[in-house]
Amino acid sequence: MTPPTDKPRLSREHMLGLLKQMIRIRRFEAKCAELYTQEKIRGFMHLYDGEEAVAVGVIPVLEKRDRIVATYREHGHALVRGVPMTTVLAEMYGKQDGCSRGRGGSMHLFDRATNFYGGNAIVGGGLPTAVGLALADRMRGDDSITACFFGEGAVAEGEFHESLNLAALWGLPVLFVCENNLYAMGTALAISESETNIQRKAACYQIASEAVDGMDVIAVEAAARRAVQAVRETRKPYFLECRTYRLRAHSMFDAQLYRDKAEVEVWRHKEPIVRYQGWLEANHLIHPEDLARMESEVAAEIAEAVAFGEAGTWEPVEQLTRFTYAEAAAQADR
Amino acid sequence: MPQEMIHPGTTELTYRDAVREAIRDAMRRDDRVFLMGEDVGRYGGCYAVSKGLLAEFGPERIRDTPLSESGFTGAGIGAAMAGMRPIVELMTVNFSLLALDQIFNSAVTVRHMSGNQFGVPLVIRMATGAGRQLAAQHSHSLEGWYAHIPGIKVLAPATVEDARGMLWMALQDPDPALIFENVMLYNMTGKLAADAGPVNIDKAAVRRPGRDISLITYGGSLWKTLEAATVLAGENIDAEVIDLRSLRPLDDATIMTSVARTRRAIIVDEGWRSGSLSAEIGMRMVEQVFWELDAPIGRVCSAEVPIPYARHLENAAIPQVPNIVAAAKAVFGRA
Ligand SMILES: Cc1ncc(C[n+]2csc(CCOP(=O)(O)OP(=O)(O)O)c2C)c(N)n1
Ligand SMILES: [Mg+2]
């Protein structure tokens, strides 16, 4: 583990909070997987297992006024940002009480209250949006910044390059966070990029960058602090590459023919929760009762979310075509 | 019920297997043919269509691409112009939008713009359609859009026979051809003659003959429409079901012959209604067989909304058997 550098801000309470957030995501998604096999959740569902340190390290560093753009693998991001677990799960149930009214599902969590601009399921699709959010902030002179999460697979898309160039060219406050988990579905980084050092791509656009061990929550948080501070002060983009690994299948339909079980096992030893928890224990920063309390709080929150999802209502079919246009415009359109 | 005998000369296979057989056969017949797309190799294809092909043909010809739809589709165009016979796989029609510029502005226009010096014998395959609760970025049916474009062929195999047979003919075509595979069909099984091979790609097929009304459809909706025809038969309406097979060009002759005989028509299309393929077909009827019609032409299309995630809403958004039955009965003034 990276020893915490800026000690004053890293109180014991804060450090336990990081662990709790990671556990929260992990347990929530384990429940989601279970609900998926029960067919309560359908469609495509992508779990964040192994990558939790990224969202947990970055998102709490942002301010409430900042904005977030994420991908289809965004349950963790939504939870850490403060989208209630209840409405996240109700969304995955397809209930009207979901954060996107059941219209989006697992891949499309949106939440205006927390400036969560969605799970985008078009690879690379979120990057230009993030540029535009930051452009608006710049033009209005607001000091919000936009954090944009995407996988390393998105780096091959034109949108990635266009967005980095625009953000750098126009001086826009975007924090690009690449979650490099080495695979885009079954395509390993080495067979999809001629330059596999992703951080270097940012350099071509004159964007300050840093690569960090994305399995080390303390390191991610420290890097995120530097990054967020840089964006806020310079009002220019910053690129943070978090090197991580997806421990589970790409989605619920993936037989994982493209990688060895042994490789996954190697990474399992580096996984962020066990590793961080071990470090806290070794440094006597956590006691068994802390952990027990965390687990029981998380379990209670999940139970509440499941109850909420179960109790949620199905939107009446008569409302099918709502939200295709703004309601007032739809009236005018008739 | 006794199990249906499989004829010694037939095999039973899935639509997915039929597409794979078609690719394998084309690769064996013609070494200019290669497959490229995201996860076609090591992953085995996002819908497992190309599973096993990497082992058989190697990574040069079963070519995994980065997530660069515009780039590798364009590369397919160039390779085709230089004499290869690429099959580009775009995971779904939704992602084909990232390659739309290459398809429209290059593949389609080169023959004309070059005064017939260059052509693009490229085949692009992609999945289409809703029904798996994949929400609005993974569920649309945009094949009708593509059918708007002169210079392109748009194919929609609905049966295992067509899934097996259309690819080779598409590869023989000197111009770009798009093949749309409805996601709900991949697991469907069907019987195929052991010696099944290429099929024509320019004729619609009458999948169920009938006297009273023509139900015109294609792709995933074919099976719902056939089911609706069975229901209608129970209500003394003898429906003819036409599978368009090719959305561009349209086989007007088969459509008009049928409608001129039944004098009534419903078009079933998972695309949206406004500005759509169904509108085109309806208008052609108006132009060609208006005086033979006994009733207004009906349509069953998707609701004018992005496809929602929730199961009940998704089901309500796309054509279903009861809607088709109701629309057909309405043509007869029956509820
Ligand atoms: C434009 C586009 N092409 C293809 C896909 C299908 N697809 C969904 S996720 C994915 C892999 C993306 O990998 P990466 O960006 O590394 O993110 P990860 O899933 O590893 O988090 C692919 C190919 C898509 N959703 N959008
Ligand atoms: Mg990845």
Side-chain angles (χ1 to χ4, degrees):
Chain A
M1 286 312 289
T2 313
T5 39
D6 43 4
K7 274 259 158 58
R9 273 193 274 176
L10 288 187
S11 64
R12 180 171 167 275
E13 191 192 351
H14 177 86
M15 289 198 271
L16 293 188
L18 295 175
L19 180 64
K20 183 175 175 188
Q21 285 289 20
M22 292 198 288
I23 289 178
R24 210 174 147 241
I25 300 171
R26 183 73 59 86
R27 302 286 179 269
F28 173 74
E29 289 200 319
K31 177 53 90 177
C32 292
E34 188 186 319
L35 293 168
Y36 195 92
T37 58
Q38 295 168 18
E39 304 196 351
K40 301 272 186 184
I41 299 173
R42 307 294 302 262
F44 283 160
M45 185 171 81
H46 308 83
L47 303 182
Y48 201 44
D49 195 335
E51 308 185 42
E52 295 91 342
V54 178
V56 172
V58 174
I59 292 178
V61 174
L62 299 168
E63 301 290 339
K64 193 168 185 302
R65 65 184 183 281
D66 295 334
R67 307 166 194 277
I68 294 178
V69 177
T71 69
Y72 46 86
R73 196 183 298 287
E74 87 288 32
H75 307 151
H77 308 74
L79 293 180
V80 180
R81 182 57 175 176
V83 185
M85 192 184 281
T86 46
T87 67
V88 169
L89 191 61
E91 184 58 35
M92 292 156 80
Y93 268 74
K95 299 286 178 81
Q96 183 171 347
D97 321 72
C99 57
S100 308
R101 293 189 64 111
R103 303 287 179 140
S106 160
M107 301 194 286
H108 306 297
L109 304 174
F110 286 82
D111 186 54
R112 196 177 181 107
T114 56
N115 283 334
F116 198 78
Y117 287 86
N120 194 315
I122 299 299
V123 172
L127 282 99
T129 306
V131 167
L133 293 168
L135 175 63
D137 285 332
R138 183 196 150 102
M139 293 177 77
R140 282 197 303 249
D142 293 345
D143 81 333
S144 311
I145 73 170
T146 297
C148 179
F149 293 85
F150 52 93
E152 88 297 336
V155 170
E157 295 281 11
E159 277 77 359
F160 171 86
H161 298 274
E162 297 177 23
S163 299
L164 261 63
N165 183 48
L166 284 175
L169 186 69
W170 291 344
L172 304 179
V174 184
L175 171 58
F176 292 102
V177 184
C178 179
E179 303 182 306
N180 179 2
N181 61 11
L182 299 176
Y183 288 90
M185 275 180 70
T187 302
L189 179 60
I191 62 162
S192 70
E193 287 294 323
S194 54
E195 169 58 85
T196 53
N197 183 338
I198 290 175
Q199 193 196 349
R200 283 207 190 155
K201 319 241 176 202
C204 300
Y205 296 100
Q206 308 290 329
I207 295 178
S209 68
E210 179 173 348
V212 66
D213 177 355
M215 309 296 261
D216 176 347
V217 70
I218 295 286
V220 174
E221 187 184 59
R225 285 228 172 85
R226 288 189 287 276
V228 167
Q229 191 182 3
V231 177
R232 219 179 290 283
E233 280 169 8
T234 64
R235 308 307 292 160
K236 284 186 186 155
Y238 193 98
F239 192 93
L240 184 60
E241 178 192 345
C242 299
R243 296 186 175 152
T244 180
Y245 196 78
R246 150 170 74 67
L247 293 170
R248 291 216 197 198
H250 166 75
S251 72
M252 306 307 279
F253 293 101
D254 169 12
Q256 304 192 59
L257 304 173
Y258 50 84
R259 63 181 185 184
D260 288 339
K261 288 210 169 64
E263 179 187 301
V264 182
E265 282 317 306
V266 169
W267 280 92
R268 209 174 283 286
H269 293 300
K270 307 182 195 170
E271 76 92 1
I273 296 181
V274 170
R275 192 169 153 200
Y276 183 53
Q277 190 182 316
W279 180 83
L280 289 172
E281 281 162 359
N283 289 279
H284 310 291
L285 291 161
I286 190 169
H287 312 297
E289 20 340 331
D290 296 321
L291 198 60
R293 184 178 26 80
M294 257 178 225
E295 291 283 7
S296 79
E297 283 169 6
V298 166
E301 190 185 9
I302 292 170
E304 190 202 344
V306 171
F308 186 84
E310 290 286 340
T313 44
W314 301 110
E315 185 166 4
V317 171
E318 297 68 50
Q319 299 189 13
L320 172 63
T321 59
R322 278 186 77 186
F323 321 121
T324 306
Y325 297 97
E327 307 262 276
Q331 293 296 335
D333 203 43
R334 291 214 178 98
Chain B
M1 242 176 64
Q3 261 213 306
E4 216 183 317
M5 284 287 293
I6 294 179
H7 190 270
T10 56
T11 47
E12 180 150 322
L13 81 179
T14 62
Y15 184 96
R16 168 184 293 112
D17 294 336
V19 178
R20 184 183 310 118
E21 268 318 301
I23 298 170
R24 180 180 281 136
D25 183 37
M27 302 266 300
R28 285 182 182 155
R29 284 195 201 205
D30 184 345
D31 58 17
R32 298 172 305 169
V33 173
F34 66 100
L35 175 71
M36 80 174 145
E38 291 157 14
D39 288 308
V40 296
R42 288 154 185 88
Y43 191 89
C46 64
Y47 289 104
V49 165
S50 50
K51 202 165 162 186
L53 296 183
L54 176 65
E56 187 171 347
F57 297 103
E60 276 286 306
R61 294 183 72 201
I62 301 293
R63 187 171 283 268
D64 275 321
T65 65
L67 279 140
S68 313
E69 289 82 2
S70 184
F72 68 76
T73 301
I77 294 169
M81 290 170 73
M84 299 297 281
R85 288 293 179 274
I87 304 169
V88 165
E89 176 177 309
L90 289 165
M91 288 182 167
T92 85
V93 67
N94 308 273
F95 314 151
S96 81
L97 300 184
L98 281 79
L100 199 55
D101 165 66
Q102 288 295 322
I103 298 172
F104 273 27
N105 284 323
S106 295
V108 168
T109 54
V110 158
R111 180 175 300 285
H112 186 78
M113 291 192 304
S114 70
N116 206 27
Q117 297 178 81
F118 296 108
V120 183
L122 170 67
V123 172
I124 307 178
R125 297 177 35 247
M126 59 190 111
T128 186
R132 301 188 56 196
Q133 282 192 264
L134 303 184
Q137 291 183 332
H138 280 73
S139 304
H140 289 135
S141 294
L142 305 177
E143 52 276 11
W145 268 20
Y146 283 103
H148 180 61
I149 310 163
I152 210 167
K153 296 232 159 92
V154 180
L155 306 174
T159 64
V160 292
E161 205 178 12
D162 281 350
R164 171 68 183 82
M166 281 185 166
L167 179 70
W168 180 254
M169 295 307 283
L171 283 165
Q172 303 316 299
D173 199 284
D175 293 309
L178 308 189
I179 302 181
F180 287 90
E181 298 159 11
N182 186 288
V183 287
M184 300 309 283
L185 298 181
Y186 284 125
N187 288 331
M188 175 188 79
T189 56
K191 293 192 191 82
L192 197 62
D195 61 351
V199 295
N200 81 73
I201 52 169
D202 53 4
K203 289 270 176 290
V206 177
R207 298 291 184 200
R208 181 192 197 278
R211 283 172 287 113
D212 301 331
I213 185 168
S214 302
L215 307 179
I216 298 153
T217 189
Y218 67 90
S221 298
L222 171 65
W223 302 97
K224 294 178 183 175
T225 306
L226 284 167
E227 212 180 311
T230 307
V231 176
L232 289 166
E235 312 230 8
N236 284 324
I237 296 174
D238 184 19
E240 177 147 303
V241 176
I242 294 183
D243 172 6
L244 293 170
R245 301 181 67 246
S246 166
L247 310 186
R248 184 177 188 112
L250 283 168
D251 174 11
D252 285 6
T254 300
I255 300 171
M256 302 311 157
T257 307
S258 170
V259 176
R261 195 159 34 73
T262 63
R263 298 176 165 269
R264 293 175 181 84
I266 295 278
I267 304 148
V268 182
D269 179 8
E270 206 177 301
W272 293 294
R273 174 186 304 252
S274 302
S276 67
L277 181 72
S278 63
E280 172 63 25
I281 296 167
M283 192 62 203
R284 286 186 190 210
M285 289 179 198
V286 170
E287 289 166 343
Q288 298 175 44
V289 292
F290 181 80
W291 301 109
E292 323 293 329
L293 291 171
D294 277 353
I297 300 160
R299 280 194 278 172
V300 181
C301 299
S302 282
E304 305 273 320
V305 63
I307 304 292
Y309 163 71
R311 185 180 195 73
H312 66 298
L313 296 179
E314 179 183 49
N315 282 339
I318 62 178
Q320 303 293 0
V321 174
N323 314 127
I324 304 169
V325 170
K329 286 167 75 175
V331 168
F332 292 90
R334 288 166 52 179

